[in-house]
Amino acid sequence: DRLSDNPKDHHHIGQTQCFPEDLMLFIRKHLDDPLTVNFILWLKAHLLPRVQVLHDVQAFEDLSEASAADTDSMEHLSTLNQVVFKGGCIYQHQLFHINYTTYDIRRAQDTINPCTDHHDIMLLVPSDSAHPFLYAHVIGIFHVNIIYTGSGSKDYLPRCLEFLWVCWFGVVNVPAGWEHAALDSLRFIPMSQDDAYGFVDPVNVLRGCHLIPAFASGRMHPDGVSVLQDARDGADWKYYYVNRFIDRDMPLCYHWGHSVGHVYSHVSQTEADS
C-alpha cells in the first residue's frame, strides 16, 4: 500500500487484504497460547463501542474487555454478537506509521513493525495517573470489516476498523524520573492477570518508544523457549528501562506542557474551569 502523503493524518495502516486470518482457524492453531484465550470475545468488546460511534449509537453499557470474558452472562454474549466479522476474517499488516508533531512544530514519523525491534508504543493515560504514559508491546497490526446488527444500526454495510493487538507493560514502583535522576522501569504484566494483553485503537497511540533491557536482571525465560507463540517472548527480559533520551523530541514528552508542539499537554482555560 502507498503511504498517505497527508502529514495531518495521525497514522497510516495499509488497506490491503492479501493476508487474511480466518478467526476460527486462528484460534484453533493457537489453542495452547494464553494470548488467545477469549480472543474473539475481547476483540468484539473492544470493537463494539467504536462501531456504535460510526452508527451514532450511544453505548449505555460499559462493556470492557475483561467483562467480555464472563462467558456465563448470556446478556453479554448477546450484546457482543451484535458485532459480526465480514467473511469471518481479520487482515494482518506488517507496518504501522505514526505521525506526530515535534517540539519545534515539525512533522515526524515513527514506524512500528512487530517482526523487528521497533514494536513498542506509548499512549497517554488519564490525568489522575501517577505516570503520564502507558506502554505496550505490539504483537500484531490488523484491520477488520465489521457489520453492526444492534439497535440503532443505520445499515448492514461493513465498516473498516483498525486495531493493534498488544501485550501491556506495567510501570515498576521504584524511584524514577527527573527528581531521582533515574529512568522509569517496566515489566510485562503477568499473563495470569486479565489486563496482560488487549487491543488498542491506533488513534490513541502517541509515539513509538525505545526500551532498554535491564541486562543485570536477566531474561524472563533463561532457556530461550517462548511460552507465548505470537508474542515470541523467548528473548524477553524481566525488566526494561524507558529511554526518554532516544531523540531530541522525546525528553520534552516528559516535561509536561514545556513544548509548543505537544498540543495534548495544553489545557484551555475553559477546560480547566470545567
Side-chain angles (χ1 to χ4, degrees):
D1 286 342
R2 189 174 68 88
L3 284 177
S4 170
D5 55 5
N6 184 359
K8 294 184 179 180
D9 289 343
H10 172 269
H11 68 276
H12 175 78
I13 294 176
Q15 293 301 308
T16 179
Q17 299 189 160
C18 295
F19 302 99
E21 285 277 4
D22 183 282
L23 279 170
M24 293 298 104
L25 292 178
F26 177 80
I27 297 300
R28 199 173 303 159
K29 286 190 302 184
H30 301 83
L31 285 177
D32 297 329
D33 193 336
L35 283 176
T36 58
V37 175
N38 294 316
F39 180 90
I40 295 179
L41 292 179
W42 287 32
L43 178 57
K44 286 186 174 184
H46 168 75
L47 295 173
L48 178 59
R50 293 176 57 189
V51 74
Q52 285 177 327
V53 169
L54 297 179
H55 286 267
D56 297 325
V57 175
Q58 182 178 359
F60 294 99
E61 181 181 9
D62 182 15
L63 192 61
S64 66
E65 292 171 13
S67 67
D70 182 13
T71 55
D72 294 331
S73 172
M74 295 305 297
E75 182 180 356
H76 282 176
L77 290 176
S78 176
T79 303
L80 292 176
N81 284 336
Q82 297 171 0
V83 176
V84 178
F85 300 101
K86 182 182 178 182
C89 291
I90 57 178
Y91 301 92
Q92 189 168 21
H93 303 276
Q94 294 299 320
L95 299 176
F96 167 43
H97 303 277
I98 313 159
N99 297 317
Y100 64 94
T101 304
T102 64
Y103 75 99
D104 54 354
I105 321 299
R106 296 178 182 271
R107 295 295 279 172
Q109 186 179 83
D110 287 336
T111 299
I112 303 299
N113 184 339
C115 297
T116 70
D117 290 334
H118 300 278
H119 48 45
D120 300 315
I121 57 174
M122 56 195 295
L123 305 85
L124 289 175
V125 297
S127 57
D128 58 350
S129 176
H131 189 78
F133 303 110
L134 292 171
Y135 303 92
H137 170 97
V138 177
I139 307 169
I141 304 166
F142 300 92
H143 86 262
V144 62
N145 298 315
I146 290 294
I147 300 172
Y148 175 61
T149 62
S151 175
S153 173
K154 293 180 178 179
D155 51 56
Y156 295 125
L157 297 176
R159 266 68 171 181
C160 178
L161 293 177
E162 302 163 337
F163 66 92
L164 308 176
W165 186 22
V166 303
C167 282
W168 291 106
F169 289 101
V171 179
V172 180
N173 187 21
V174 295
W178 301 115
E179 61 275 19
H180 297 285
L183 297 176
D184 300 291
S185 182
L186 307 178
R187 67 177 180 87
F188 282 107
I189 295 177
M191 290 306 301
S192 58
Q193 299 184 21
D194 288 336
D195 56 351
Y197 83 95
F199 303 98
V200 170
D201 184 345
V203 170
N204 295 327
V205 177
L206 181 63
R207 278 201 61 181
C209 63
H210 181 251
L211 304 183
I212 305 171
F215 297 105
S217 299
R219 293 189 182 273
M220 187 180 299
H221 305 293
D223 57 4
V225 177
S226 295
V227 175
L228 308 176
Q229 180 178 343
D230 287 280
R232 299 178 292 276
D233 62 331
D236 288 344
W237 298 83
K238 291 181 180 178
Y239 297 97
Y240 294 86
Y241 297 112
V242 181
N243 185 3
R244 59 175 68 183
F245 304 104
I246 185 61
D247 57 33
R248 63 181 183 176
D249 188 62
M250 187 62 77
L252 273 300
C253 290
Y254 293 86
H255 283 293
W256 192 260
H258 286 204
S259 177
V260 178
H262 297 166
V263 294
Y264 59 82
S265 64
H266 295 271
V267 180
S268 67
Q269 188 61 43
T270 303
E271 293 173 319
D273 294 339
S274 61

